[in-house]
């Protein structure tokens, strides 16, 4: 039989029943791989099923398109990334097969077996890492073409525009103790914590709890059974399998990715599979126990990425979990007990182990050779052995990401040939146990984990209590009621820290790179030669070498390559690994879909009680921040004309409204507004402008006095929340002695503006308890009364549109009723609704500015034509000193009314005003005026150009220049404002 | 995010709050020079150290709280409703400590859409 | 056959430094299996330099390069407390554009773009500037109006920008959801063809190599612990590797700038906020422009390796932490999927943060300070990398001539005392 291989065929490499196997031989599935059908058992991963059928090549590498196969048989296996349906980059050695699954290899053409881009391999010596920095620079015009070629070589799956968006819900969890890792240490810690009274969340990345016990043999399986029973017996332990801790953020805010229940699990109800199954669990844990075990490291030598070269973990998992024979004829390089155990497993599985190189006795592998797969291995003594399987067991990497995030700086131990956590640097709320913390037999590890779990529970109790005591609101409750559950953690005799025994750290040979150059980062096709070359070129720290070669920046996120890369850089720079350090571990620990991270959409929409009426009557929706408003009902110019000639009604519910009560309200108004408010009589209304402390216009609106100590303030709709917070800030931090209560009532009231010459007649018909005559209810006054039968409504006369108008504020639940009543009672008066666009036209005709459109982030009050409003002789008010200085220094720019010389030309808003080859201003608002039959504008211009009669040059977007005249005032229609006061 | 000890609500996620800024003493606008006023508007200590600052519990009790936080580790110690703990560079009591971030209440991201 | 590479043969160091990079060079080095000579060599730190630049990112290195290349000033040291480009230069999302709001801003960033266009050739280092176009989406009338404002100012200054409608946006980016049913429908966009992305590390390395070749000393892992000022004049700096006497110090430390500036007794109106970013696994190229949405606070581009790179606005509170937060990545994912729902199965691979030195008017602080000899090139907020070349060029001129060049005249530190702030708030609202 040739070393090349194994027989192929549906069960070609399947073994007989293994104790501890996870496949269910009674349930057969079928799936397709690159168009061919293959069988599988329930519980198989895609790769285990293919391996059982004798397949060895699953992908092609990024740059050189080298054939790749199984390396680790875990989630983090670089050669096993496949595409499932429309889901790219699936980890084939972790994803369970489901019936009918369509799987194909990524980025291989014309086929996986013969990939045309593998011609890259020949060019490999020229295409070292970073080669693109040294070429493609000239001629510059060809760079886009070079780029297009580079992009063709992207080795990845594809996205489809038809993928349906998934919006899974997220979950919040509040465990006392979160245990990251469900191997024996994690399980023991979880049990101990639960027994001490803690609520525990136990998270395990693989499909089942148990970690390495699952493929450890009969004795290990027995221990596993015992631990699993203990876990199951604790009701306060929640177990999440096929879930992984993505990151530990400040304050033990922990993100867990739940990849969904096994497709295999019976009785799981609806089965979510694949990317659609991912769900985020966000946990605020009081303490975190980090027990992720260790990740086996590949060895660096020539040919180490050939299909057929595997780690000891891979072969043991294949044999014990999936009953798959990894090869026919094997060479093993072993530096530790796991390698030795792999030899035993291989023999048990009927593999011909032709040579074992014991690294502890000087054994080594020099190079592996083969085309398309492993065929021969050269060992230390020069012998060349033909084989189809090479197993390496050269050491372990500590996955310290969570510890690093918590502030730990793991220390390299040459004795153990790996990084170890530094307990001294861990914060109080993070503990560590298991293989990552030290070595030892199962008893020692369990003892350590048990103590750790108990201590984690104790600290959780203390932390929870300390948090509660820190806040006045929760302090009393915490003091009064210390125990809410059985044996609350940290309470009784748990005041003393629980002693955690030390774990031994066993010696391990340092074996990172062999005598020949090989792959370091399998996903990125970065070899040790690349790293050495980078160092020689001056990229001589691990960070620079990483960025230059892109090592550790691939889909494996550094798990298999970080330490090897550090070791190689260390050797090349002549430093120790400890001095060199590793690159920074960054979250997420495992890749997570955008869908899972996004979860459901929480973008609330706000609309008034009348919005359904608007839409039913053909109103085009306008998105205004969180609000949806009616833009127009079809013809904004006609709507505007109707207001000027008859009467129109507009829904202005989004206007910000604040209810102000107390004896000190005038002091607040004087502080917030630039004008004077001490003498506002009951029933009067005043327009006000607010500035920030740098004098920039912040907001504007009207405020009316409803009673002795009762005022109603209105703001712009986009400023509603800002102004409320602004007021609260002043009251709470600067003037806590003032007696003012502020209540936001923006959504408590539905607001309708009734405008036009006929508005008084309409209002008369629907109002009770208010004398509507002009003498009794003049312009800029406010009344309360009953509108359309609705009590406690507010009515004030203001004039944003420039016509006789009334603004009604009615309790929101009655909004639609009042709206419909107005339309009904005013039919003969010609009442019609008008939308936001018509309102914009009307206000522009009247020269009323819109904050944020006619002003910007630098427009101070004097620039906005608000001179009349600013009362510098007041006491302290927001913006005062800057406004005084602006007045003294001369205003830089001014807001002016502008009319294009040719009234039929409508300049786009933001058209620039130019003078002397420079930009001297811009058009801020621009509309065709139905009243005047011509275009009207507002503009911000340099003060020098603001004199009435100045001819401005406006540059239209088309490039054409037109002339426009500065008007004597901002209002284009009825500049004296007589129409509002009738 | 980190937990902030709201005086009224207990320990809550910082995402519920708006960060207002370092506590700075507000000069008397009637007597401050341009220099002093603009220092108040624009200059902040920006230390990599413990800092006393104001947060606003926007999605909670709507009260302003003062917190002492280390700007590198984001640890929080001392929280209160008013008063200043005398951290370096900051003086005064609630009466003279004006609304921080007073230059523009909307914060660095600019005005709302 | 596999390319053989048995063992590592250190090659002969070439006499010429730096080596010229070219395809021919690749061929020769590949055939002879020789090492490339170093891009820069470590130098012993001297007791004094004419100019000390604190900050080994793109701004500091560009200033050093132009001091040497344009002005013949080579007795220069660049100090960095970490490795070259370990600050913002190594953490940004590498977006370049010049579609700013103010005329002075547009002129400034346009100069930068022009320098970037020639940079690969001038530095003999491929920085991979891909001018693939930049789209800023508008989701409201107000936003569209701001886009129009930017387009008009850009065109007036000779920069290519124009406002386009939703249909044309869809044509440029088929994966984008421009339907009216979206929560914040796309109404149009500012289309800016000269914008694009670049390999940010390569820019740092290119400048470092160019500066080093001209005699500049680069000192990594050298932290400044104090600045000696006597009589309002700079005398020297103290570092973790020793003291240096000098008369000219340039502060190019971005997020850490107030810590350095305080050492010289010059307070700066800067607050440091983290800015986070994230990258996904590679997927087959489908996005050929840069997309920004101000309303959704998100920007997206796709590298030549197929990865999607995302960013958003600065964190909501000041901090010197570069740890990243969960809220950022969740919010970002939500907004990205609102724009391109079909990306729901694409996986995020890592997230990180850098520090942004934010100023009250979203514009930098460049030029001299009240301390003679102490200059600043800070206040770069979320837009610093774009300005690397033009800032280096301008600061080099500032140092060499002793006068503030016209192109940075609006960015002086004294504008805060005089109240003449720059109006870039609109354009910089979400960074890129």
């Amino acid at each position: 039989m040739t070393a090349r291989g194994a027989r192929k065929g549906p069960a070609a490499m399947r073994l007989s029943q293994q104790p501890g196997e996870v496949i269910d031989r009674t349930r057969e599935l079928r799936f397709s791989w690159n168009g061919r059908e293959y069988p599988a058992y329930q519980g198989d991963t895609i790769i285990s099923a293919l391996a059982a059928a004798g397949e060895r090549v699953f992908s092609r590498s990024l740059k050189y398109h080298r054939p790749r196969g199984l390396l680790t048989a875990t989630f983090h296996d670089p050669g096993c990334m496949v595409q499932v349906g429309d889901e790219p980059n699936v980890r084939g050695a972790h994803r369970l097969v489901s019936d009918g699954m369509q799987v194909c290899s990524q980025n291989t053409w014309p086929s996986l077996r013969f990939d045309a881009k593998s011609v890259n391999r020949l060019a490999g010596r020229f295409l070292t890492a970073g080669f693109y920095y040294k070429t493609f620079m000239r001629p510059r015009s060809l760079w886009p073409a070079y780029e297009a070629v580079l992009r063709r070589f992207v080795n990845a799956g594809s996205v489809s525009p038809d993928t349906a968006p998934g919006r899974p819900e997220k979950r919040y969890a509040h465990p006392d103790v979160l245990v990251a890792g469900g191997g024996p240490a994690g399980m023991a810690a979880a049990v101990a914590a639960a027994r001490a009274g803690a609520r525990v969340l136990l998270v395990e990345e693989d499909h089942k709890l148990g970690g390495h016990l699952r493929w450890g043999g009969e004795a290990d399986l027995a221990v596993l059974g015992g631990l699993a029973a203990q876990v199951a017996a604790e009701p306060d332990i929640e177990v999440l399998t096929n879930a992984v801790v993505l990151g530990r953020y400040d304050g033990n805010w922990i993100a867990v990715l739940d990849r969904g229940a096994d497709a295999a699990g019976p009785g799981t109800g609806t089965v979510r599979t694949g990317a659609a199954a991912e769900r985020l669990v966000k946990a605020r844990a009081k303490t975190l126990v980090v027990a992720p075990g260790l990740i086996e490291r590949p060895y660096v030598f020539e040919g180490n990425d050939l299909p057929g070269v595997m780690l000891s973990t891979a072969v043991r998992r294949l044999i014990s979990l999936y009953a798959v024979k990894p090869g026919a004829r094997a060479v093993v390089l072993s530096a530790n007990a796991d390698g030795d155990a792999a030899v035993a497993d291989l023999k048990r599985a009927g593999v011909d182990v032709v040579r074992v190189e014991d690294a502890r006795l000087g054994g080594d592998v020099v190079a592996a050779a083969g085309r398309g797969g492993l065929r021969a291995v050269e060992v230390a003594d020069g012998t060349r052995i033909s084989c189809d399987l090479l197993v390496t067991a050269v050491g372990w990497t500590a996955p310290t990401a969570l510890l690093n995030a918590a502030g730990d700086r793991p220390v390299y131990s040459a004795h153990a040939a790996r990084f170890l956590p530094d307990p001294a640097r861990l914060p109080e709320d993070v503990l560590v146990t298991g293989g990552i913390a030290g070595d030892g037999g199962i008893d020692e590890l369990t003892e350590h984990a048990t103590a750790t779990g108990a201590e984690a529970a104790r600290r959780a109790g203390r932390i929870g209590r300390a948090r509660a005591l820190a806040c006045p609101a929760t302090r009393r409750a915490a003091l009064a009621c210390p125990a809410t559950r059985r044996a609350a953690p940290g309470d009784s005799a748990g005041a003393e820290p629980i002693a955690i025994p030390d774990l031994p750290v066993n010696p391990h040979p340092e074996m990172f790179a062999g005598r020949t150059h090989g792959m370091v980062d399998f996903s990125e096709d970065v070899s040790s030669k690349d790293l050495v070359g980078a160092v020689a070129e001056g990229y001589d720290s691990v960070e620079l070498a990483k960025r230059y070669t892109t090592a550790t920046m691939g889909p494996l996120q550094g798990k298999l390559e970080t330490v090897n890369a550090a070791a190689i850089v260390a050797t090349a720079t002549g430093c120790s690994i400890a001095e060199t350090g590793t690159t920074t571990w960054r979250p997420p620990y495992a890749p997570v879909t955008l869908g899972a991270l996004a979860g459901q959409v929480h973008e609330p929409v706000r609309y008034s009680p009348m919005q359904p009426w608007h839409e039913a009557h053909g109103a085009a929706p306008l998105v205004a921040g969180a609000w949806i408003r009616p833009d127009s009902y079809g013809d904004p110019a006609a709507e505007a004309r109707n207001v000027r000639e008859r009467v129109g009604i507009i829904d202005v519910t989004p206007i910000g409204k604040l209810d102000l009560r107390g004896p000190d309200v005038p002091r607040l108004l004087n502080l917030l507004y630039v004008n004077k408010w001490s003498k506002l009589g009951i029933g009067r209304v005043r327009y006000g402008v607010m500035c920030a402390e740098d004098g920039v216009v912040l907001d504007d609106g009207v405020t009316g006095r409803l009673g002795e100590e009762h005022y109603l303030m209105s703001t712009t709709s986009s400023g509603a929340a800002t102004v409320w917070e602004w007021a609260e800030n002043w009251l709470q931090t600067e003037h806590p002695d003032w007696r003012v209560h502020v209540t936001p009532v923006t959504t408590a009231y539905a607001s309708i503006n009734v405008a036009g010459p006929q508005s008084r007649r309409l209002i008369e018909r629907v109002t009770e308890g208010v004398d509507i005559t002009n003498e009794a209810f003049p312009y800029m006054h406010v009344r309360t009364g009953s509108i359309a039968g609705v009590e406690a409504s507010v009515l004030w006369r203001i004039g944003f549109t420039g016509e006789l108008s009334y603004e009604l504020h009615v309790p929101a639940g009655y909004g639609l009723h009042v709206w419909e009543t107005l339309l009904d009672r005013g039919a003969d008066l010609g009442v019609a609704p008008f939308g936001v666009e018509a309102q914009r036209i009307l206000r522009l005709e009247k020269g009323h500015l819109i904050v944020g459109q006619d002003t910007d982030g630098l427009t101070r009050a004097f620039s906005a034509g608000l001179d009349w409003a600013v009362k510098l002789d007041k006491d302290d008010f927001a913006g005062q000193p800057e406004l005084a200085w602006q007045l003294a220094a001369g205003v830089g720019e001014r807001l002016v009314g502008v009319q294009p010389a040719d009234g039929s030309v409508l300049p786009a808003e933001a058209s620039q005003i130019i003078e002397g080859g420079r930009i001297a201003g811009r058009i801020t608002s621009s509309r065709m005026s139905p009243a005047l039959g011509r275009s009207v504008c507002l503009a911000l211009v340099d003060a020098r150009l603001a004199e009435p009669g100045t001819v401005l040059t406006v540059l239209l977007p088309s490039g054409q220049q037109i002339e426009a005249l500065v008007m004597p005032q901002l209002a284009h229609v009825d500049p004296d404002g007589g129409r509002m006061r009738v | 995010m980190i937990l902030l000890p709201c005086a009224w609500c207990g320990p809550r996620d910082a995402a519920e709050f708006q960060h207002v800024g370092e506590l700075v003493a507000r000069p008397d606008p009637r007597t401050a020079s341009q220099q002093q006023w603009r220092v108040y508007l624009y200059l902040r200590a920006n230390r990599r150290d413990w800092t006393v600052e104001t947060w606003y519990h926007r999605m909670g009790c709507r009260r302003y709280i003062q917190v002492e936080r280390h700007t590198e580790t984001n640890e929080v110690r001392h929280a209160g409703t008013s008063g200043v703990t005398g951290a370096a560079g900051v003086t005064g009591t609630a009466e003279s400590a004006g609304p921080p971030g007073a230059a523009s209440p909307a914060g660095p991201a600019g005005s709302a859409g | 056959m596999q390319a053989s590479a048995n063992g590592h043969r250190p090659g002969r160091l070439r006499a010429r430094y730096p080596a010229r990079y070219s395809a021919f060079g690749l061929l020769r080095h590949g055939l002879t299996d020789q090492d490339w000579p170093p891009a820069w060599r470590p130098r012993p730190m001297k007791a004094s330099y004419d100019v000390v630049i604190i900050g080994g990112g793109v701004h500091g290195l560009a200033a050093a390069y132009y001091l040497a290349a344009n002005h013949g000033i080579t007795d220069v040291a660049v100090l960095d407390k970490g490795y070259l480009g370990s600050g913002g230069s190594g953490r940004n999302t590498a977006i370049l554009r010049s579609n700013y709001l103010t005329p002075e801003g547009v002129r400034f960033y346009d100069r930068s773009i022009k320098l970037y266009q020639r940079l690969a050739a001038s530095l003999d280092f491929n920085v991979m500037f891909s001018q693939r176009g930049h789209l800023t989406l508008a989701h409201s009338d107000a936003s569209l109006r701001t886009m129009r404002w930017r387009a008009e100012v850009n065109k007036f200054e000779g920069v290519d920008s124009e406002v386009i409608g939703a249909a044309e946006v869809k044509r440029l980016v088929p994966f984008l959801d421009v339907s009216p049913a979206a929560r914040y429908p796309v109404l149009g966009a500012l289309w800016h063809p000269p914008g694009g992305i670049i390999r940010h590390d390569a820019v740092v390395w290119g400048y470092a190599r160019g500066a080093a070749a001209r005699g500049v000393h680069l000192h990594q892992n050298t932290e400044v612990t104090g600045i000696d000022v006597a009589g309002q004049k700079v005398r020297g700096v103290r570092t973790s590797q020793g003291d240096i006497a000098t008369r000219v110090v340039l502060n190019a430390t971005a997020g850490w700038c107030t810590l350095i500036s305080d050492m010289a007794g010059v307070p700066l109106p800067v607050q440091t906020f983290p800015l986070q970013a994230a990258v996904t696994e590679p997927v087959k190229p489908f996005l050929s422009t840069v997309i920004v949405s101000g309303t959704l606070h998100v920007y997206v581009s796709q590298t030549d390796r197929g990865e999607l790179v995302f960013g958003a606005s600065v964190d909501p509170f000041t901090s010197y932490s570069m740890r990243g937060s969960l809220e950022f990545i969740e919010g970002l994912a939500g907004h990205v999927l609102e724009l391109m729902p079909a990306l729901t199965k694409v996986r995020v691979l890592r997230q990180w943060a850098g520090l942004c030195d934010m100023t009250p008017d979203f514009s930098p602080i460049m030029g001299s300070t009240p301390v003679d000899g102490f200059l600043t090139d800070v206040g770069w907020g979320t837009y610093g990398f774009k300005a690397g070349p033009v800032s280096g060029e301008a600061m080099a001129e500032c140092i060499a001539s002793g006068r503030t060049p016209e192109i940075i005249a609006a960015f002086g530190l004294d504008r805060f005392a005089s109240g003449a702030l720059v109006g870039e708030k609109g354009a910089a609202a979400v960074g890129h």
Side-chain angles (χ1 to χ4, degrees), chain A residues 407-488:
Chain A
D408 198 12
R409 294 256 183 89
V411 177
Y412 180 71
S413 158
H415 170 80
R418 69 177 197 267
F419 281 82
L420 290 162
D422 181 0
R425 297 187 74 123
L426 281 176
E428 194 207 358
D429 55 2
V430 177
L431 300 96
V432 60
T433 186
I436 194 177
D439 304 308
I442 190 68
D443 291 332
E444 283 166 294
L445 286 167
T446 312
E447 192 193 336
H448 185 276
T450 301
T452 305
E455 174 62 4
R458 188 195 72 87
R459 291 188 197 176
R462 270 212 6 241
I463 287 169
R465 197 169 168 74
R467 277 192 197 141
L469 291 174
C471 303
T474 45
R475 182 178 302 139
R476 192 178 303 164
L479 288 171
C481 180
T484 52
R485 287 196 328 275
R486 62 174 174 111

Side-chain angles (χ1 to χ4, degrees), chain A residues 32-36 38 57-58 102-106 108 111-113:
Chain A
S32 80
W33 164 243
N34 282 340
R36 269 185 61 191
Y38 285 80
V57 179
F58 306 118
Q102 314 257 343
V103 189
C104 51
S105 52
Q106 300 189 143
T108 52
S111 73
L112 179 57
R113 183 146 306 153

